[in-house]
Coordinates of all heavy atoms in Angstrom, one line a residue:
S181 N 5.6 18.0 -2.5 CA 4.9 16.9 -1.8 C 3.5 17.3 -1.3 O 2.6 16.6 -1.4 CB 5.8 16.4 -0.7 OG 7.0 15.8 -1.2
R182 N 3.5 18.6 -0.8 CA 2.3 19.1 -0.3 C 1.2 19.1 -1.4 O 0.0 18.8 -1.2 CB 2.4 20.4 0.3 CG 3.0 20.4 1.7 CD 3.0 21.8 2.4 NE 3.8 21.8 3.5 CZ 5.0 22.3 3.5 NH1 5.5 22.8 2.5 NH2 5.7 22.2 4.7
T183 N 1.6 19.6 -2.6 CA 0.7 19.7 -3.7 C 0.2 18.3 -4.1 O -1.0 18.1 -4.4 CB 1.4 20.3 -4.9 OG1 1.8 21.7 -4.5 CG2 0.5 20.5 -6.1
V184 N 1.1 17.3 -4.2 CA 0.7 16.0 -4.6 C -0.3 15.4 -3.6 O -1.3 14.9 -3.9 CB 2.0 15.0 -4.7 CG1 1.6 13.6 -4.8 CG2 2.8 15.5 -5.9
L185 N 0.0 15.6 -2.3 CA -0.9 15.1 -1.3 C -2.2 15.8 -1.3 O -3.3 15.1 -1.3 CB -0.3 15.3 0.1 CG 0.8 14.4 0.5 CD1 1.5 14.8 1.8 CD2 0.4 13.0 0.5
A186 N -2.3 17.1 -1.7 CA -3.6 17.8 -1.8 C -4.4 17.2 -3.0 O -5.6 17.1 -2.8 CB -3.3 19.3 -2.0
I187 N -3.7 17.0 -4.1 CA -4.4 16.4 -5.2 C -4.9 15.0 -4.9 O -6.1 14.7 -5.2 CB -3.4 16.4 -6.5 CG1 -3.1 17.8 -6.9 CG2 -4.1 15.6 -7.6 CD1 -2.1 17.9 -7.9
L188 N -4.1 14.2 -4.3 CA -4.5 12.8 -4.0 C -5.7 12.8 -3.0 O -6.6 12.0 -3.1 CB -3.4 12.0 -3.4 CG -2.2 11.7 -4.4 CD1 -1.1 11.0 -3.7 CD2 -2.7 10.8 -5.5
Q189 N -5.7 13.8 -2.1 CA -6.8 13.8 -1.1 C -8.1 14.3 -1.7 O -9.2 14.0 -1.2 CB -6.4 14.7 0.0 CG -5.4 14.2 0.9 CD -4.8 15.1 2.0 OE1 -4.8 16.3 1.8 NE2 -4.2 14.6 3.0
Q190 N -8.0 14.9 -2.9 CA -9.3 15.4 -3.5 C -9.8 14.5 -4.6 O -10.9 14.7 -5.1 CB -9.0 16.9 -4.1 CG -8.7 17.8 -3.1 CD -9.7 18.0 -2.0 OE1 -10.9 18.1 -2.4 NE2 -9.3 18.0 -0.8
M191 N -9.0 13.5 -5.0 CA -9.4 12.6 -6.1 C -10.7 11.8 -5.8 O -10.8 11.4 -4.6 CB -8.3 11.6 -6.4 CG -7.1 12.2 -7.1 SD -5.8 10.9 -7.5 CE -6.7 9.9 -8.5
K192 N -11.5 11.7 -6.7 CA -12.7 10.8 -6.5 C -12.3 9.4 -6.9 O -11.8 9.2 -8.0 CB -13.8 11.4 -7.4 CG -14.2 12.7 -7.0 CD -15.7 13.0 -7.4 CE -16.1 14.4 -7.2 NZ -15.7 15.0 -6.0
L193 N -12.6 8.5 -6.0 CA -12.2 7.1 -6.3 C -13.5 6.3 -6.5 O -14.5 6.5 -5.9 CB -11.5 6.5 -5.0 CG -10.2 7.2 -4.6 CD1 -9.7 6.6 -3.3 CD2 -9.2 7.1 -5.7
P194 N -13.4 5.3 -7.5 CA -14.6 4.5 -7.8 C -14.8 3.3 -6.9 O -14.9 2.2 -7.3 CB -14.3 4.1 -9.2 CG -12.8 3.9 -9.3 CD -12.3 5.0 -8.4
V195 N -14.6 3.6 -5.6 CA -14.8 2.5 -4.6 C -15.8 2.9 -3.5 O -15.9 4.1 -3.2 CB -13.5 2.1 -4.0 CG1 -12.5 1.5 -5.0 CG2 -12.8 3.2 -3.3
P196 N -16.4 1.9 -2.8 CA -17.3 2.3 -1.7 C -16.4 2.9 -0.6 O -15.3 2.6 -0.4 CB -17.8 1.0 -1.2 CG -17.5 0.1 -2.3 CD -16.4 0.5 -3.1
V197 N -17.0 3.9 0.2 CA -16.3 4.5 1.3 C -14.9 5.0 0.8 O -13.9 4.8 1.5 CB -16.1 3.6 2.5 CG1 -16.0 4.3 3.8 CG2 -17.2 2.6 2.6
A198 N -14.9 5.8 -0.3 CA -13.7 6.2 -0.8 C -12.9 7.1 0.1 O -11.6 7.0 0.1 CB -14.0 7.0 -2.1
G199 N -13.5 7.9 0.8 CA -12.7 8.8 1.7 C -12.0 8.1 2.8 O -10.7 8.3 3.1
V200 N -12.5 7.0 3.3 CA -11.9 6.3 4.4 C -10.7 5.5 3.7 O -9.6 5.5 4.3 CB -12.8 5.3 5.1 CG1 -12.1 4.3 6.0 CG2 -13.9 6.0 5.8
S201 N -10.9 4.8 2.6 CA -9.9 4.0 2.0 C -8.8 4.9 1.6 O -7.6 4.6 1.7 CB -10.4 3.2 0.9 OG -11.0 3.9 -0.2
R202 N -9.0 6.1 1.0 CA -8.0 7.0 0.6 C -7.2 7.5 1.8 O -5.9 7.5 1.7 CB -8.6 8.3 -0.1 CG -7.6 9.4 -0.4 CD -8.2 10.6 -1.0 NE -9.5 10.8 -0.6 CZ -10.6 10.8 -1.5 NH1 -10.5 10.7 -2.7 NH2 -11.8 11.0 -1.1
D203 N -7.9 7.8 2.9 CA -7.1 8.2 4.2 C -6.2 7.1 4.7 O -5.0 7.3 5.1 CB -8.0 8.6 5.2 CG -8.8 9.9 4.9 OD1 -8.4 10.6 3.9 OD2 -9.8 10.2 5.5
I204 N -6.6 5.8 4.6 CA -5.8 4.8 5.0 C -4.6 4.6 4.1 O -3.5 4.5 4.7 CB -6.6 3.4 5.1 CG1 -7.6 3.5 6.2 CG2 -5.7 2.2 5.3 CD1 -8.7 2.4 6.2
F205 N -4.7 4.7 2.9 CA -3.7 4.5 2.0 C -2.7 5.6 2.0 O -1.4 5.4 2.1 CB -4.1 4.3 0.5 CG -4.5 2.9 0.2 CD1 -5.8 2.4 0.3 CD2 -3.5 1.9 -0.2 CE1 -6.1 1.1 0.0 CE2 -3.9 0.6 -0.4 CZ -5.2 0.2 -0.3
L206 N -3.2 6.9 2.1 CA -2.3 8.1 2.1 C -1.7 8.1 3.5 O -0.5 8.4 3.6 CB -3.1 9.4 2.0 CG -3.5 9.6 0.5 CD1 -4.4 10.9 0.5 CD2 -2.3 9.7 -0.4
G207 N -2.4 7.7 4.6 CA -1.7 7.7 5.9 C -0.6 6.6 6.0 O 0.5 6.9 6.6
A208 N -0.9 5.5 5.5 CA 0.1 4.4 5.4 C 1.4 4.9 4.6 O 2.5 4.5 5.0 CB -0.5 3.1 4.9
G209 N 1.2 5.5 3.5 CA 2.3 6.0 2.8 C 3.0 7.0 3.6 O 4.3 7.0 3.5
A210 N 2.4 7.9 4.3 CA 3.0 8.9 5.1 C 3.8 8.3 6.2 O 4.9 8.8 6.5 CB 2.0 9.9 5.6
A211 N 3.4 7.1 6.7 CA 4.2 6.4 7.7 C 5.5 5.9 7.2 O 6.4 5.7 8.0 CB 3.3 5.2 8.3
L212 N 5.7 5.8 5.9 CA 6.9 5.4 5.4 C 7.9 6.5 5.2 O 9.1 6.3 4.9 CB 6.7 4.7 4.0 CG 5.8 3.5 4.0 CD1 5.5 3.1 2.6 CD2 6.5 2.4 4.7
L213 N 7.4 7.8 5.4 CA 8.4 8.9 5.2 C 9.4 9.0 6.2 O 9.2 8.6 7.4 CB 7.6 10.2 5.2 CG 6.6 10.4 4.1 CD1 5.8 11.8 4.4 CD2 7.3 10.7 2.8
P214 N 10.7 9.3 5.8 CA 11.8 9.5 6.9 C 11.4 10.7 7.7 O 10.7 11.6 7.3 CB 13.0 9.7 6.0 CG 12.5 10.1 4.8 CD 11.1 9.6 4.5
N215 N 12.0 10.8 8.9 CA 11.8 11.8 9.9 C 12.0 13.2 9.2 O 11.2 14.2 9.4 CB 12.6 11.7 11.1 CG 12.1 10.6 11.9 OD1 11.0 10.2 11.8 ND2 13.0 10.0 12.7
W216 N 13.1 13.3 8.4 CA 13.3 14.6 7.8 C 12.3 15.1 6.9 O 11.9 16.3 6.8 CB 14.8 14.7 7.1 CG 14.8 13.7 5.9 CD1 15.3 12.4 6.0 CD2 14.5 14.0 4.6 NE1 15.3 11.9 4.7 CE2 14.7 12.8 3.9 CE3 13.9 15.0 3.9 CZ2 14.5 12.7 2.5 CZ3 13.6 15.0 2.6 CH2 13.9 13.7 1.9
A217 N 11.6 14.2 6.2 CA 10.5 14.5 5.3 C 9.3 15.0 6.0 O 8.6 15.9 5.7 CB 10.2 13.4 4.4
C218 N 9.1 14.3 7.2 CA 7.9 14.7 8.0 C 8.1 16.1 8.6 O 7.2 16.8 8.7 CB 7.7 13.7 9.1 SG 7.2 12.0 8.6
Q219 N 9.3 16.4 9.0 CA 9.7 17.7 9.5 C 9.5 18.7 8.4 O 8.9 19.8 8.6 CB 11.1 17.8 10.0 CG 11.2 17.0 11.3 CD 12.7 16.8 11.7 OE1 13.6 17.2 11.0 NE2 12.9 16.3 12.9
L220 N 10.0 18.5 7.2 CA 9.8 19.4 6.1 C 8.3 19.7 5.7 O 7.9 20.8 5.3 CB 10.5 19.0 4.9 CG 12.1 19.2 4.9 CD1 12.7 18.5 3.7 CD2 12.5 20.6 5.1
L221 N 7.5 18.6 5.8 CA 6.0 18.7 5.5 C 5.3 19.2 6.7 O 4.1 19.5 6.6 CB 5.5 17.4 5.2 CG 5.9 16.8 3.8 CD1 5.5 15.4 3.6 CD2 5.3 17.7 2.7
E222 N 6.0 19.5 7.9 CA 5.4 20.0 9.0 C 4.3 19.2 9.5 O 3.2 19.8 9.9 CB 5.0 21.5 8.9 CG 6.2 22.4 8.5 CD 5.8 23.8 8.2 OE1 4.7 24.0 7.9 OE2 6.7 24.6 8.1
R223 N 4.5 17.9 9.6 CA 3.4 17.0 10.1 C 3.4 17.0 11.6 O 4.4 17.1 12.2 CB 3.7 15.6 9.6 CG 3.5 15.5 8.1 CD 3.7 14.0 7.6 NE 2.9 13.0 8.2 CZ 1.6 12.8 8.0 NH1 1.0 13.5 7.1 NH2 0.9 11.9 8.6
T224 N 2.2 17.1 12.1 CA 2.0 17.2 13.5 C 2.1 15.9 14.2 O 2.0 14.8 13.5 CB 0.7 17.8 13.9 OG1 -0.4 16.9 13.4 CG2 0.4 19.2 13.2
P225 N 2.4 15.8 15.5 CA 2.3 14.5 16.2 C 1.0 13.7 16.0 O 1.0 12.5 15.9 CB 2.5 14.9 17.7 CG 3.3 16.1 17.6 CD 2.7 16.9 16.4
A226 N -0.1 14.4 15.9 CA -1.4 13.8 15.7 C -1.4 13.1 14.3 O -1.9 12.0 14.1 CB -2.5 14.8 15.9
Q227 N -0.9 13.8 13.3 CA -0.8 13.2 11.9 C 0.1 12.1 11.9 O -0.2 11.1 11.3 CB -0.3 14.3 11.0 CG -1.4 15.4 10.7 CD -0.8 16.5 9.8 OE1 0.3 17.0 10.0 NE2 -1.6 17.0 8.9
A228 N 1.2 12.1 12.6 CA 2.1 11.0 12.7 C 1.4 9.8 13.3 O 1.6 8.7 12.8 CB 3.4 11.4 13.4
L229 N 0.7 10.0 14.3 CA 0.0 8.9 15.0 C -1.1 8.3 14.1 O -1.3 7.1 13.9 CB -0.7 9.4 16.3 CG -1.6 8.4 17.0 CD1 -0.8 7.2 17.4 CD2 -2.3 9.0 18.2
Q230 N -1.8 9.2 13.4 CA -2.8 8.8 12.3 C -2.2 7.9 11.3 O -2.7 6.9 10.8 CB -3.5 9.9 11.7 CG -4.5 10.6 12.6 CD -5.1 11.9 12.0 OE1 -4.4 12.5 11.2 NE2 -6.3 12.2 12.4
S231 N -0.9 8.3 10.9 CA -0.3 7.5 9.9 C 0.1 6.2 10.3 O 0.0 5.2 9.6 CB 1.0 8.3 9.4 OG 0.6 9.5 8.7
R232 N 0.6 6.1 11.6 CA 0.9 4.8 12.2 C -0.2 3.9 12.3 O -0.1 2.7 12.0 CB 1.7 4.9 13.5 CG 3.1 5.5 13.4 CD 3.9 5.4 14.6 NE 3.3 6.1 15.8 CZ 3.4 7.4 16.1 NH1 4.2 8.1 15.3 NH2 2.8 8.0 17.2
V233 N -1.3 4.4 12.7 CA -2.6 3.7 12.8 C -3.0 3.2 11.5 O -3.4 2.0 11.3 CB -3.7 4.5 13.5 CG1 -5.0 3.8 13.3 CG2 -3.3 4.8 14.9
A234 N -2.9 4.1 10.5 CA -3.3 3.7 9.1 C -2.4 2.6 8.5 O -2.9 1.6 7.9 CB -3.3 4.9 8.2
A235 N -1.2 2.7 8.8 CA -0.2 1.6 8.4 C -0.6 0.3 9.0 O -0.6 -0.8 8.3 CB 1.2 2.0 8.7
G236 N -1.0 0.3 10.3 CA -1.4 -1.0 11.0 C -2.6 -1.5 10.4 O -2.8 -2.7 10.2
V237 N -3.6 -0.6 10.1 CA -4.9 -1.1 9.5 C -4.6 -1.7 8.1 O -5.1 -2.8 7.8 CB -5.9 0.1 9.3 CG1 -7.1 -0.3 8.5 CG2 -6.4 0.6 10.7
L238 N -3.8 -1.1 7.3 CA -3.5 -1.6 6.0 C -2.7 -2.9 6.1 O -3.0 -3.8 5.3 CB -2.7 -0.5 5.1 CG -2.6 -0.8 3.7 CD1 -4.0 -0.9 3.1 CD2 -1.9 0.4 3.0
R239 N -1.8 -3.0 7.0 CA -1.1 -4.3 7.2 C -2.0 -5.4 7.6 O -1.9 -6.5 7.1 CB 0.0 -4.1 8.3 CG 0.9 -5.2 8.4 CD 2.0 -4.9 9.5 NE 2.8 -3.7 9.3 CZ 2.6 -2.6 10.1 NH1 1.9 -2.7 11.2 NH2 3.3 -1.6 9.8
T240 N -3.0 -5.1 8.4 CA -4.0 -6.1 8.8 C -4.9 -6.5 7.7 O -5.3 -7.6 7.5 CB -4.9 -5.5 10.0 OG1 -4.0 -5.2 11.0 CG2 -5.9 -6.5 10.4
M241 N -5.2 -5.5 6.8 CA -6.1 -5.8 5.7 C -5.4 -6.3 4.5 O -6.1 -6.8 3.5 CB -6.8 -4.4 5.2 CG -7.8 -3.9 6.3 SD -8.4 -2.3 5.9 CE -9.2 -2.5 4.3
A242 N -4.1 -6.3 4.5 CA -3.4 -6.8 3.3 C -3.8 -8.1 2.8 O -3.9 -8.3 1.6 CB -1.9 -6.7 3.6
P243 N -4.0 -9.2 3.6 CA -4.4 -10.5 3.1 C -5.7 -10.4 2.3 O -5.9 -11.1 1.3 CB -4.5 -11.3 4.3 CG -3.6 -10.7 5.4 CD -3.7 -9.2 5.1
L244 N -6.6 -9.5 2.7 CA -7.9 -9.3 2.0 C -7.7 -8.8 0.6 O -8.3 -9.2 -0.3 CB -8.9 -8.5 2.8 CG -9.3 -9.0 4.1 CD1 -10.1 -8.0 4.9 CD2 -10.1 -10.2 3.9
F245 N -6.8 -7.8 0.6 CA -6.4 -7.2 -0.7 C -5.8 -8.2 -1.7 O -6.1 -8.3 -2.9 CB -5.5 -6.0 -0.6 CG -6.2 -4.8 -0.1 CD1 -5.8 -4.2 1.1 CD2 -7.3 -4.2 -0.8 CE1 -6.5 -3.2 1.6 CE2 -7.9 -3.1 -0.3 CZ -7.5 -2.5 0.9
R246 N -4.9 -9.0 -1.1 CA -4.2 -10.0 -1.9 C -5.2 -11.0 -2.4 O -5.1 -11.5 -3.6 CB -3.1 -10.7 -1.1 CG -1.9 -9.8 -1.0 CD -0.7 -10.6 -0.4 NE 0.1 -9.8 0.4 CZ 0.1 -9.7 1.7 NH1 -0.6 -10.5 2.5 NH2 0.8 -8.8 2.3
A247 N -6.1 -11.5 -1.6 CA -7.1 -12.4 -2.0 C -8.0 -11.9 -3.1 O -8.4 -12.6 -4.0 CB -8.0 -12.8 -0.8
G248 N -8.4 -10.6 -3.0 CA -9.2 -10.0 -4.0 C -8.6 -9.7 -5.3 O -9.2 -9.6 -6.3
L249 N -7.2 -9.6 -5.3 CA -6.5 -9.2 -6.6 C -5.9 -10.5 -7.1 O -4.7 -10.7 -7.1 CB -5.4 -8.2 -6.2 CG -5.9 -6.8 -5.7 CD1 -4.8 -5.9 -5.2 CD2 -6.7 -6.1 -6.8
N250 N -6.7 -11.4 -7.7 CA -6.2 -12.6 -8.1 C -5.9 -12.6 -9.7 O -5.6 -13.6 -10.2 CB -7.2 -13.7 -7.8 CG -8.5 -13.5 -8.3 OD1 -8.8 -12.5 -9.1 ND2 -9.5 -14.3 -7.9
D251 N -6.0 -11.5 -10.3 CA -5.7 -11.4 -11.7 C -5.0 -10.1 -11.9 O -5.3 -9.4 -13.0 CB -7.0 -11.5 -12.6 CG -6.7 -11.8 -14.0 OD1 -5.6 -12.3 -14.3 OD2 -7.5 -11.3 -14.9
G252 N -4.2 -9.6 -11.0 CA -3.5 -8.4 -11.2 C -2.2 -8.5 -11.9 O -1.8 -9.5 -12.5
P253 N -1.4 -7.4 -11.9 CA -0.2 -7.4 -12.6 C 0.8 -8.5 -12.1 O 1.5 -9.1 -12.9 CB 0.4 -6.0 -12.2 CG -0.7 -5.2 -11.8 CD -1.8 -6.2 -11.3
A254 N 0.8 -8.8 -10.9 CA 1.7 -9.8 -10.3 C 1.4 -11.2 -11.0 O 2.3 -11.9 -11.4 CB 1.6 -10.0 -8.9
H255 N 0.1 -11.5 -11.1 CA -0.3 -12.8 -11.7 C 0.1 -12.8 -13.2 O 0.6 -13.8 -13.7 CB -1.8 -13.0 -11.5 CG -2.1 -13.3 -10.1 ND1 -2.6 -12.4 -9.3 CD2 -2.1 -14.5 -9.4 CE1 -2.8 -12.9 -8.1 NE2 -2.5 -14.2 -8.1
R256 N -0.2 -11.7 -13.9 CA 0.2 -11.7 -15.3 C 1.8 -11.8 -15.5 O 2.2 -12.4 -16.5 CB -0.4 -10.4 -16.0 CG -1.9 -10.5 -16.1 CD -2.5 -9.4 -16.9 NE -2.2 -8.1 -16.4 CZ -3.0 -7.4 -15.6 NH1 -4.1 -8.0 -15.1 NH2 -2.7 -6.3 -15.1
A257 N 2.5 -11.2 -14.6 CA 4.0 -11.3 -14.6 C 4.4 -12.7 -14.4 O 5.4 -13.2 -15.2 CB 4.6 -10.4 -13.6
C258 N 3.8 -13.4 -13.6 CA 4.2 -14.8 -13.4 C 3.9 -15.6 -14.7 O 4.7 -16.4 -15.1 CB 3.3 -15.5 -12.2 SG 3.9 -15.0 -10.6
E259 N 2.8 -15.3 -15.3 CA 2.5 -16.0 -16.6 C 3.6 -15.7 -17.6 O 4.0 -16.6 -18.3 CB 1.2 -15.7 -17.1 CG 0.1 -16.3 -16.1 CD -1.4 -15.8 -16.5 OE1 -1.5 -14.9 -17.4 OE2 -2.3 -16.2 -15.8
R260 N 4.0 -14.5 -17.7 CA 5.0 -14.0 -18.7 C 6.3 -14.8 -18.5 O 7.0 -15.1 -19.4 CB 5.3 -12.5 -18.6 CG 4.2 -11.7 -19.4 CD 4.7 -10.3 -19.6 NE 5.1 -9.6 -18.4 CZ 4.3 -9.0 -17.5 NH1 3.0 -8.9 -17.8 NH2 4.8 -8.4 -16.5
V261 N 6.8 -15.0 -17.2 CA 8.0 -15.6 -17.0 C 8.0 -17.1 -16.7 O 9.0 -17.7 -16.4 CB 8.8 -14.8 -15.8 CG1 9.1 -13.4 -16.1 CG2 8.0 -15.0 -14.5
G262 N 6.8 -17.7 -16.8 CA 6.6 -19.1 -16.7 C 6.5 -19.6 -15.3 O 6.6 -20.8 -15.1
H263 N 6.1 -18.8 -14.3 CA 5.8 -19.3 -13.0 C 4.3 -19.5 -12.8 O 3.5 -18.9 -13.5 CB 6.2 -18.3 -11.9 CG 7.7 -18.2 -11.6 ND1 8.3 -19.3 -11.0 CD2 8.5 -17.3 -11.8 CE1 9.5 -18.9 -10.8 NE2 9.8 -17.7 -11.3
E264 N 4.0 -20.5 -12.0 CA 2.6 -20.7 -11.8 C 2.1 -19.6 -10.9 O 2.8 -19.0 -10.1 CB 2.4 -22.0 -11.0 CG 2.7 -23.2 -11.9 CD 2.4 -24.5 -11.1 OE1 1.7 -24.5 -10.1 OE2 3.0 -25.6 -11.6
R265 N 0.8 -19.3 -10.9 CA 0.2 -18.1 -10.2 C 0.4 -18.4 -8.6 O 0.6 -17.4 -7.9 CB -1.3 -18.0 -10.4 CG -1.5 -17.4 -11.8 CD -3.0 -17.4 -12.0 NE -3.3 -16.6 -13.2 CZ -4.2 -15.7 -13.2 NH1 -4.9 -15.4 -12.2 NH2 -4.4 -15.0 -14.4
R266 N 0.4 -19.6 -8.2 CA 0.5 -19.8 -6.7 C 1.9 -19.5 -6.2 O 2.1 -19.3 -5.1 CB 0.2 -21.3 -6.4 CG 1.2 -22.3 -7.0 CD 0.7 -23.8 -6.7 NE 1.4 -24.7 -7.4 CZ 2.5 -25.2 -7.0 NH1 3.1 -24.8 -5.9 NH2 3.2 -26.0 -7.7
W267 N 2.9 -19.2 -7.2 CA 4.3 -18.8 -6.8 C 4.2 -17.5 -6.0 O 5.0 -17.3 -5.0 CB 5.1 -18.7 -8.0 CG 6.5 -18.4 -7.7 CD1 7.5 -19.3 -7.4 CD2 7.1 -17.1 -7.8 NE1 8.7 -18.6 -7.2 CE2 8.5 -17.2 -7.4 CE3 6.7 -15.8 -8.0 CZ2 9.4 -16.2 -7.4 CZ3 7.6 -14.8 -8.0 CH2 8.9 -15.0 -7.7
I268 N 3.3 -16.6 -6.3 CA 3.1 -15.4 -5.6 C 2.9 -15.5 -4.1 O 3.4 -14.8 -3.3 CB 2.0 -14.6 -6.2 CG1 2.4 -14.2 -7.7 CG2 1.7 -13.2 -5.4 CD1 1.2 -13.6 -8.4
R269 N 2.2 -16.5 -3.8 CA 1.7 -16.7 -2.4 C 2.7 -17.6 -1.6 O 2.4 -18.0 -0.5 CB 0.3 -17.4 -2.3 CG -0.7 -16.6 -3.1 CD -1.8 -16.2 -2.3 NE -3.0 -15.7 -3.1 CZ -3.1 -14.4 -3.3 NH1 -2.3 -13.5 -2.9 NH2 -4.1 -14.1 -4.0
R270 N 3.9 -17.8 -2.2 CA 4.8 -18.7 -1.4 C 5.4 -18.0 -0.2 O 5.4 -16.8 -0.2 CB 6.0 -19.1 -2.4 CG 6.9 -17.8 -2.5 CD 7.9 -17.9 -3.7 NE 8.8 -16.8 -3.8 CZ 8.5 -15.6 -4.0 NH1 7.2 -15.2 -4.2 NH2 9.4 -14.6 -4.0
P271 N 5.8 -18.8 0.8 CA 6.4 -18.1 1.9 C 7.7 -17.5 1.6 O 8.4 -17.9 0.7 CB 6.6 -19.3 2.9 CG 5.8 -20.4 2.4 CD 5.6 -20.2 0.9
F272 N 8.1 -16.4 2.3 CA 9.3 -15.7 1.9 C 10.5 -16.6 2.0 O 11.5 -16.5 1.4 CB 9.5 -14.5 2.8 CG 8.6 -13.3 2.4 CD1 7.6 -12.9 3.2 CD2 8.8 -12.7 1.1 CE1 6.8 -11.8 2.9 CE2 7.9 -11.7 0.7 CZ 6.9 -11.3 1.7
S273 N 10.4 -17.6 3.0 CA 11.6 -18.5 3.2 C 11.9 -19.3 1.9 O 12.9 -19.9 1.7 CB 11.4 -19.4 4.4 OG 10.2 -20.2 4.2
D274 N 10.9 -19.5 1.1 CA 11.0 -20.3 -0.1 C 11.5 -19.4 -1.3 O 11.5 -19.9 -2.5 CB 9.7 -20.9 -0.6 CG 9.2 -22.0 0.4 OD1 10.1 -22.4 1.2 OD2 8.1 -22.4 0.4
A275 N 11.8 -18.1 -1.1 CA 12.1 -17.3 -2.2 C 13.4 -17.7 -3.0 O 13.4 -17.4 -4.2 CB 12.3 -15.8 -1.6
E276 N 14.2 -18.4 -2.4 CA 15.5 -18.8 -3.0 C 15.2 -20.0 -3.9 O 16.1 -20.3 -4.8 CB 16.6 -19.1 -2.1 CG 17.0 -17.8 -1.2 CD 17.5 -16.7 -2.1 OE1 18.4 -17.0 -3.0 OE2 17.2 -15.6 -1.9
R277 N 14.1 -20.7 -3.8 CA 14.0 -21.9 -4.5 C 13.4 -21.7 -5.8 O 12.8 -20.8 -6.3 CB 12.9 -22.8 -3.7 CG 13.5 -23.3 -2.4 CD 12.4 -24.2 -1.8 NE 12.8 -24.3 -0.4 CZ 12.1 -24.8 0.5 NH1 11.0 -25.3 0.2 NH2 12.5 -24.9 1.8

């Protein structure tokens, strides 16, 4: 895991402010790790806090990403199975319908 994280942290991304966006995504991913994995990776309390902050930032920005990704894999999957594209944006309470 340390090797994978090191590689991901060094990747060059074709987006503006790549370092910041990379840190947010990697931090949010680290926030999903179970406690035992954080202990094995020897993550510090400061790193854990950064991860929680990154997860909050990404959660706040999620609607912007969804709005910008209007022709991604989810939309193409809807077309393959015969759903309208707007089905993706349905409220979760409508998932059974």
Side-chain angles (χ1 to χ4, degrees):
S181 294
R182 283 188 194 100
T183 302
V184 170
L185 287 172
I187 291 169
L188 291 174
Q189 288 171 338
Q190 298 302 315
M191 286 181 64
K192 297 206 184 317
L193 301 174
V195 296
V197 205
V200 173
S201 60
R202 176 185 22 247
D203 291 346
I204 290 172
F205 277 94
L206 289 176
L212 298 173
L213 292 172
N215 288 335
W216 60 265
C218 290
Q219 290 171 352
L220 287 174
L221 287 171
E222 300 173 348
R223 291 182 55 77
T224 66
Q227 289 173 317
L229 176 61
Q230 286 174 332
S231 293
R232 288 192 302 273
V233 169
V237 168
L238 195 54
R239 189 177 307 112
T240 302
M241 293 173 55
L244 295 172
F245 285 116
R246 282 190 214 104
L249 297 172
N250 58 8
D251 192 30
H255 291 94
R256 290 191 297 273
C258 280
E259 291 172 2
R260 280 195 306 273
V261 298
H263 281 293
E264 294 181 18
R265 288 174 169 231
R266 63 185 172 84
W267 184 83
I268 295 169
R269 306 234 191 268
R270 75 198 184 291
F272 285 115
S273 60
D274 293 345
E276 297 298 318
R277 294 181 196 170

